[in-house]
Amino acid sequence: MEIRKRAYETTFVLKPDLEDEEKQNILQRVKDTILAHEGEVTDVDAWGKRQLAYEIKDYRSGDYTILAFDAKTSVVNELERIFKIMDGVLRYLVVRNDA
């Protein structure tokens, strides 16, 4: 039985003082993780720096990125594990897109 792919969306907020190269490395690592689990990135929307609703780790702003992808359910756990260990990530959220 083949496990079907589902549509997901992840939003992650990076520290605003990261260099562009560091931001690209984090984005590439997320994409590589999705591809390694036989997924497909469908859209990347970089919002840039935005004001946070509340202070997180002494930061009042963050660099937002929204990434849409299709993948098996196993990729969600791996993405969350990677987000937890990356220093530049302030917050993240992965949701299934039922629309």
Side-chain angles (χ1 to χ4, degrees):
M1 184 172 96
E2 184 180 331
I3 299 174
R4 70 179 197 160
K5 293 182 182 180
R6 297 178 183 265
Y8 291 95
E9 185 174 277
T10 183
T11 302
F12 52 95
V13 182
L14 304 177
K15 293 179 180 177
D17 55 359
L18 292 178
E19 298 291 328
D20 287 339
E21 184 178 332
E22 292 174 290
K23 292 175 191 176
Q24 289 302 317
N25 288 342
I26 291 172
L27 178 60
Q28 191 59 49
R29 184 160 181 199
V30 172
K31 286 180 178 180
D32 290 345
T33 301
I34 293 167
L35 295 175
H37 286 81
E38 301 173 19
E40 176 185 349
V41 176
T42 56
D43 188 33
V44 177
D45 189 9
W47 282 14
K49 287 185 184 176
R50 300 285 173 111
Q51 192 73 23
L52 298 172
Y54 53 91
E55 193 172 294
I56 302 172
K57 297 181 184 176
D58 296 328
Y59 289 100
R60 295 188 181 275
S61 64
D63 197 282
Y64 283 74
T65 303
I66 299 174
L67 189 135
F69 61 97
D70 296 329
K72 298 177 182 176
T73 56
S74 62
V75 76
V76 175
N77 291 335
E78 184 63 18
L79 276 178
E80 289 179 346
R81 184 188 73 79
I82 287 173
F83 281 134
K84 287 178 186 175
I85 62 174
M86 285 194 281
D87 288 335
V89 178
L90 293 175
R91 287 286 190 272
Y92 64 89
L93 180 66
V94 181
V95 295
R96 192 170 90 197
N97 195 354
D98 289 330

